[in-house]
Amino acid sequence: MIKIGYTAGVFDLFHIGHLNILRNAKNNCDYLIVGITTDELAEKRKGKKPIIPFSERIEIVKNLKFVDMVVPQNTMNKKEIWENLKFNKMFVGDDWKGTPSWNNLEKEFNDINVEIVYFPYTTHTSSTILRDVLSKIK
C-alpha cells in the first residue's frame, strides 16, 4: 500500500524547522501532500497576517524536492481535509502531542487507519522568533 502523508502549516518566513518537518515527513511516506494555510485562516487563528503572501508561500513549498503536492488549507478541520485527500499518515510537530485536540484526533483517525506521526519541534527558531527580530530591526 502506498503511504500518503499530509502535513500543513503557514510556512511563513520559511526556516530550518519547516525544512526539517517536510524532510522527515517525506522520509516516512511515499507521497507527501502539504497544506499551506491561507492568509485568511492564518489571520483568524493567530491574529496576524503572514509576512510572506499565500501565493509566494505555496510557490516556495511546491518547489522543495520533498514535496509531491501542495494544497491550500482553508480549514483546521483535519477530518474534512482527510475526506478530500485520503492520506494515511499525518505529520505534526511534537509540541501538539498530548493536547486534548490532538488526543481526540488520534482516536478519530485511528478508526479510519490514519497514523499521526509527531516530529521534534525545532525550538531554536520559529516564524514568531523571526518576526519579532524583524520588527525590532524595523
Side-chain angles (χ1 to χ4, degrees):
M1 178 166 88
I2 294 176
K3 294 179 195 167
I4 300 171
Y6 177 78
T7 191
V10 178
F11 298 102
D12 196 19
L13 300 173
F14 198 86
H15 56 76
I16 193 67
H18 295 139
L19 190 64
N20 288 341
I21 198 165
L22 296 174
R23 180 188 302 117
N24 288 336
K26 182 61 178 183
N27 286 336
N28 283 274
C29 67
D30 301 308
Y31 189 85
L32 179 60
I33 304 168
V34 180
I36 308 295
T37 306
T38 62
D39 290 343
E40 297 78 17
L41 183 59
E43 194 165 5
K44 181 178 171 186
R45 280 195 67 234
K46 297 185 176 199
K48 54 190 172 197
K49 189 174 179 179
I51 292 173
I52 307 297
F54 175 72
S55 61
E56 292 178 21
R57 292 183 285 118
I58 277 198
E59 196 63 25
I60 290 165
V61 175
K62 181 169 65 172
N63 281 286
L64 297 172
K65 66 181 178 180
F66 314 120
V67 177
D68 296 298
M69 179 179 173
V70 174
V71 296
Q73 178 180 244
N74 301 307
T75 179
M76 294 306 295
N77 185 325
K78 305 301 185 200
K79 184 78 181 277
E80 184 180 319
I81 295 167
W82 175 83
E83 288 169 1
N84 290 323
L85 301 174
K86 301 298 188 208
F87 51 85
N88 46 33
K89 288 185 119 177
M90 182 170 193
F91 307 104
V92 65
D94 65 3
D95 51 322
W96 292 104
K97 189 171 185 150
T99 64
S101 59
W102 282 88
N103 285 343
N104 290 336
L105 193 58
E106 281 184 39
K107 290 176 191 162
E108 190 176 352
F109 274 0
N110 189 49
D111 293 341
I112 54 174
N113 296 317
V114 174
E115 178 186 7
I116 297 178
V117 179
Y118 296 93
F119 294 130
Y121 181 77
T122 306
T123 56
H124 66 279
T125 190
S126 71
S127 296
T128 301
I129 291 170
L130 293 172
R131 181 187 278 264
D132 290 345
V133 168
L134 289 173
S135 71
K136 290 173 184 164
I137 293 171
K138 262 171 91 174

